[in-house]
């Protein structure tokens, strides 16, 4: 067919491709069209085939699984011929794909052993969907070529969307690939503390040696570098040294570098010099897939329609989703449905939820808070007003009030005979902080999660 002969110009081929795209567009939702086909670029059309460029294997697999028949069909309609659809992965396109727009942390002691990275977080059990596939592909590229492809990799996104999981997944994958690879994982807060300590103890040499000898440096939540000038200075040098030795650096943050207040311009520009990828809140498909994965990790399974219902009723991030799932599995264990798990049963769960919330007593709440912060019960309910005790105490007040619906008077009693106005103050403080302070939000979500498990 003439239209497709190799002699015709690429401009004309593009027009043919445009027509095919229009056909496809009329068949699927705008969201999916934008998500999947904005990344598919025409490379060539020949007598036999259409070659489409995609930014990652993920796109290739998904396009094939979801839309191959539709692409073939639309192609035939436009060209009058059955053509083979061929995909070519062009990782360099990832770069283009994504330029759109406190205080507890665990440094891995050296020497590094694989087990010091949380083994729960791997690339294999990271569920890939439209909202995180670019970040995932970048992670894969780094595992293939650490220090070469994208340096640094900067992953940003809201809380609970999987940044830490992905980052540690890179670490685990590289440490499997090369057990001698020296990997350091820390939060920006831990880096800061190490720095302060090193200065105080005149051990800067040790600190530098430690961080600058990493083959892979993973720094989590670097938004907390905000305003810490000296730490930033030290990090800048560490960073430069690693980069110039082609050592891989991966950073995460809850926002892109230019939105981090009081972050030195030169650090900002260094961070932007690699690859920046964001992870957004999971869309419905991804939420279902995450639920499915988390279910099978626990050796459980729920019918598809139930998973769908849970995913639909929980808009939030992966962490919340997991929390909700644990709650439901717990509920099913306590109330095993006779006729198996059906949508009705799940509906019942959600109905029940609006009336009573957690099935707990106040002792369990106090115990969980103590365990979480590693403090003793008599410290929690005691009179001391140290900062390390006040926040746990206030969180306990909030949870007792919000989840157990206890009166402020009763909560005061439970917490060592405190006045009800003190309880009101603590409760309201946390209520506010949950929306304004990510650390407190994180603590709260994690506490609730451990209350449920
Ligand atoms: P963030 O660091 O962005 O706040 P985390 O990486 O701590 O989020 O993820 C929160 C929880 O959700 C973890 O238990 C993690 O395993 C899970 N999670 C997040 N995203 C995914 C995903 N894509 N696939 C599987 N689990 C995920
Ligand atoms: Mg995190």
């Amino acid at each position: 067919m003439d239209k497709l002969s190799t002699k015709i110009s690429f401009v004309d081929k593009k027009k043919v491709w445009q027509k095919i795209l229009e056909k496809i567009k009329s068949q699927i939702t705008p969201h999916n069209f934008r998500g999947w086909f904005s990344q598919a670029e025409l490379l060539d059309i020949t007598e036999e085939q259409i070659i489409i460029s995609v930014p990652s294997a993920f796109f290739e697999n998904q396009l094939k699984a979801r839309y191959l028949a539709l692409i073939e069909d639309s192609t035939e309609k436009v060209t009058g011929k059955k053509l083979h659809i061929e995909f070519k992965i062009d990782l360099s396109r990832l770069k283009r794909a994504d330029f759109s727009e406190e205080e507890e942390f665990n440094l891995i002691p050296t020497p590094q052993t694989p087990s010091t990275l949380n083994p729960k977080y791997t690339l294999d059990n990271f569920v890939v969907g439209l909202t995180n596939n670019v970040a995932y592909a970048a992670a894969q590229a780094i595992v293939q070529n650490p220090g070469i492809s994208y340096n640094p990799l900067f992953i940003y996104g809201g809380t609970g969307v999987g940044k830490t999981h992905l980052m540690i997944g890179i670490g685990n994958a590289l440490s499997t690939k090369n057990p001698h690879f020296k990997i350091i994982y820390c939060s920006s807060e831990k880096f800061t503390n190490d720095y302060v300590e090193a200065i105080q103890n005149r051990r800067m040499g040790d600190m530098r040696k430690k961080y600058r000898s990493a083959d892979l440096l993973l720094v989590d939540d670097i938004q907390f570098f905000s305003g810490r000038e000296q730490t930033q200075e030290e990090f800048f040098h560490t960073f430069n040294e690693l980069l110039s030795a082609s050592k891989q650096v991966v950073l995460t943050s809850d926002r892109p570098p230019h939105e981090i207040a009081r972050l030195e311009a030169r650090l900002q520009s260094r961070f932007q010099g690699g690859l920046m990828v964001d992870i957004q809140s999971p869309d419905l498909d991804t939420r279902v897939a995450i639920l499915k994965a988390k279910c099978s990790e626990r050796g459980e399974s729920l019918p598809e329609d139930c998973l769908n219902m849970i995913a639909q009723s929980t808009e939030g991030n992966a962490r919340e989703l997991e929390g909700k799932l644990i709650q439901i599995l717990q509920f099913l264990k306590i109330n095993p449905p006779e006729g198996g798990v059906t949508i009705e049963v799940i509906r019942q769960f959600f109905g029940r939820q609006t009336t009573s919330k957690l099935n707990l007593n106040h002792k369990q709440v106090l115990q969980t808070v103590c365990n979480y912060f590693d403090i003793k019960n008599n410290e929690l309910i005691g009179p001391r007003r140290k900062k390390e005790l006040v926040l746990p105490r206030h969180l306990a007040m909030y949870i007792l009030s919000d989840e157990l619906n206890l009166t402020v008077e009763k909560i005061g009693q439970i917490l060592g005979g405190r006045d009800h106005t003190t309880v009101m103050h603590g409760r309201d403080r946390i209520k506010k902080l949950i929306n304004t302070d990510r650390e407190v939000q994180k603590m709260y979500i994690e506490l609730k999660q451990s209350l449920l498990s």
Side-chain angles (χ1 to χ4, degrees):
M1 149 160 219
D2 216 39
K3 242 197 295 191
L4 300 176
S5 96
T6 39
K7 276 174 253 136
I8 73 163
S9 72
F10 190 66
V11 176
D12 288 335
K13 290 179 181 179
K14 272 230 141 145
K15 281 184 192 148
V16 174
W17 177 236
Q18 215 42 55
K19 280 194 185 135
I20 297 171
L21 283 179
E22 271 155 33
K23 284 253 177 311
I24 295 170
K25 193 173 178 179
S26 68
Q27 299 293 316
I28 63 180
T29 68
H31 172 78
N32 280 337
F33 183 78
R34 219 178 318 115
W36 296 112
F37 287 91
S38 64
Q39 301 291 337
E41 286 179 9
L42 179 71
L43 276 184
D44 199 11
I45 304 182
T46 68
E47 293 280 356
E48 292 86 33
Q49 60 180 4
I50 290 198
I51 308 171
I52 299 167
S53 158
V54 287
S56 69
F58 171 76
F59 271 97
E60 173 176 356
N61 295 337
Q62 293 290 321
L63 280 169
K64 272 187 185 156
R66 292 165 181 250
Y67 300 117
L68 187 61
L70 179 63
I71 302 171
E72 282 172 348
D73 194 52
S74 308
T75 303
E76 192 178 351
K77 285 205 179 105
V78 172
T79 66
K81 259 185 131 179
K82 266 198 170 33
L83 296 182
H84 172 70
I85 313 292
E86 177 77 23
F87 293 92
K88 279 236 158 66
I89 298 167
D90 179 2
L91 277 179
S92 69
R93 290 183 42 203
L94 272 181
K95 261 196 193 274
R96 279 186 280 145
D98 235 83
F99 270 113
S100 49
E101 315 258 345
E102 137 128 349
E103 343 267 286
E104 143 276 338
F105 302 93
N106 38 332
L107 181 88
I108 306 313
T110 47
Q112 181 70 30
T113 57
S115 59
T116 50
L117 288 171
N118 189 340
K120 237 178 64 185
Y121 297 144
T122 67
L123 293 186
D124 290 338
N125 67 13
F126 187 82
V127 174
V128 186
L130 267 184
T131 51
N132 60 20
N133 70 81
V134 177
Y136 178 78
Q140 292 263 304
I142 281 171
V143 173
Q144 296 306 316
N145 290 308
I148 296 166
S149 321
Y150 308 117
N151 213 1
L153 173 64
F154 190 102
I155 306 169
Y156 66 95
T159 179
V161 294
K163 302 181 298 293
T164 300
H165 185 140
L166 195 61
M167 169 186 251
I168 292 185
I170 295 173
N172 278 322
L174 277 171
S175 119
T176 308
K177 215 173 129 184
N178 182 354
H180 301 297
F181 220 66
K182 187 167 165 200
I183 302 170
I184 296 182
Y185 165 76
C186 66
S187 69
S188 59
E189 212 63 34
K190 175 65 188 169
F191 187 91
T192 304
N193 292 346
D194 269 17
Y195 174 70
V196 172
E197 228 166 76
I199 298 248
Q200 279 167 355
N201 304 331
R202 303 176 185 282
R203 302 190 66 127
M204 267 324 288
D206 290 353
M207 154 131 189
R208 291 195 172 130
K209 213 159 111 195
K210 176 164 83 182
Y211 283 98
R212 298 182 190 187
S213 65
D215 294 307
L216 170 66
L217 177 64
L218 309 168
V219 187
D220 214 353
D221 289 320
I222 62 127
Q223 70 271 13
F224 296 122
F225 275 150
S226 167
R228 296 184 159 141
E229 283 169 33
Q230 278 170 305
T231 311
Q232 288 183 23
E233 168 89 23
E234 178 59 26
F235 187 70
F236 180 73
H237 294 297
T238 304
F239 182 89
N240 281 343
E241 199 155 314
L242 290 174
L243 249 67
S244 64
S246 294
K247 306 297 187 188
Q248 181 70 46
V249 177
V250 181
L251 309 166
T252 73
S253 164
D254 68 353
R255 66 202 80 176
H258 62 270
E259 285 178 20
I260 302 176
R262 292 181 293 149
L263 180 70
E264 270 190 64
R266 58 180 183 171
L267 266 185
Q268 267 182 36
S269 82
R270 285 308 246 154
F271 293 166
Q272 286 163 343
L275 177 65
M276 289 198 295
V277 290
D278 74 332
I279 303 184
Q280 285 145 25
S281 291
D283 59 354
L284 185 62
D285 284 350
T286 314
R287 294 207 297 277
V288 173
I290 289 177
L291 283 171
K292 215 180 272 180
K294 298 291 171 187
C295 250
S296 68
E297 270 170 30
R298 294 188 148 68
E300 311 269 357
S301 79
L302 291 177
E304 189 83 26
D305 55 350
C306 294
L307 292 175
N308 251 309
M309 179 164 188
I310 302 167
Q312 260 162 15
S313 63
T314 314
E315 282 278 307
N317 60 49
R319 189 179 286 135
E320 284 168 34
L321 215 54
E322 208 174 346
K324 180 70 59 180
L325 179 70
I326 295 169
Q327 247 175 304
I328 289 171
L329 293 175
Q330 183 97 345
F331 170 76
L332 293 173
K333 219 165 256 160
I334 301 167
N335 316 286
E338 275 179 22
V341 185
T342 59
I343 256 205
E344 262 324 300
V345 175
I346 304 294
R347 207 167 275 145
Q348 234 178 47
F349 167 84
F350 282 114
R352 187 195 78 120
Q353 231 203 350
T354 47
T355 49
S356 87
K357 290 186 175 177
L358 296 180
N359 226 342
L360 290 168
N361 62 40
H362 70 261
K363 287 205 180 107
Q364 287 166 295
V365 173
L366 298 195
Q367 192 53 50
T368 306
V369 172
C370 286
N371 291 348
Y372 183 85
F373 290 102
D374 196 18
I375 56 178
K376 297 203 180 65
N377 190 56
N378 58 15
E379 290 179 308
L380 183 70
I381 67 172
R384 296 183 65 191
R385 293 204 199 162
K386 277 201 328 198
K387 199 175 124 216
E388 295 82 358
L389 299 176
V390 169
L391 185 63
R393 204 174 281 148
H394 286 175
L395 273 159
M397 289 172 181
Y398 179 74
I399 293 173
L400 290 170
S401 154
D402 191 55
E403 297 290 345
L404 270 59
N405 293 325
L406 300 181
T407 63
V408 283
E409 287 80 11
K410 174 81 185 157
I411 296 171
Q413 246 172 27
I414 293 169
L415 287 168
R418 293 189 143 71
D419 191 69
H420 74 277
T421 53
T422 310
V423 175
M424 280 160 66
H425 164 75
R427 179 198 63 190
D428 295 344
R429 173 177 172 233
I430 298 298
K431 195 170 180 174
K432 208 161 102 202
L433 284 178
I434 282 177
N435 293 316
T436 54
D437 184 315
R438 295 195 105 96
E439 270 305 288
V440 172
Q441 184 183 47
K442 176 169 162 246
M443 288 172 187
Y444 171 67
I445 290 172
E446 287 177 354
L447 268 172
K448 252 181 82 172
Q449 221 166 312
S450 24
L451 280 169
L452 293 164
S453 50

